[in-house]
Amino acid sequence: MDFISKVENITFLASSQARVVVNERTGTIVAGGDVKISEVAVSHGSIKVEVVNAPEVVQPVPYNPSSALPQAQVFLWRKKP
């Protein structure tokens, strides 16, 4: 009984992998929260998606170095038939 109570009270952190799932039949794309996208351009038929990372410099607190935060911009184009 002592062993079971110890096992029931164990806490642990599970790591998850960044995952992207693509359904080719429906064209659905699902990305998990850990997915990071670099600069990329993808086109298919009449649709084009472009992701551009433009770093934004953040004003530092006095006596601390400045830092640049990545700011992703997503552009979507669709050609009309």
Side-chain angles (χ1 to χ4, degrees):
M1 204 60 145
D2 215 19
F3 172 74
I4 293 175
S5 68
K6 287 181 182 179
V7 170
E8 287 179 341
N9 292 317
I10 292 176
T11 58
F12 59 92
L13 296 174
S15 64
S16 63
Q17 291 182 331
R19 186 176 302 218
V20 176
V21 178
V22 179
N23 184 327
E24 293 181 38
R25 187 175 58 82
T26 64
T28 304
I29 301 172
V30 179
D34 294 331
V35 172
K36 292 182 174 50
I37 300 175
S38 297
E39 293 188 16
V40 65
V42 178
S43 64
H44 178 73
S46 63
I47 298 174
K48 179 181 176 186
V49 178
E50 185 176 349
V51 177
V52 178
N53 288 323
E56 178 182 342
V57 176
V58 177
Q59 180 67 34
V61 179
Y63 307 109
N64 286 329
S66 63
S67 60
L69 298 176
Q71 295 293 323
Q73 298 175 336
V74 179
F75 303 99
L76 175 65
W77 293 275
R78 181 174 177 224
K79 294 179 186 173
K80 301 214 178 196

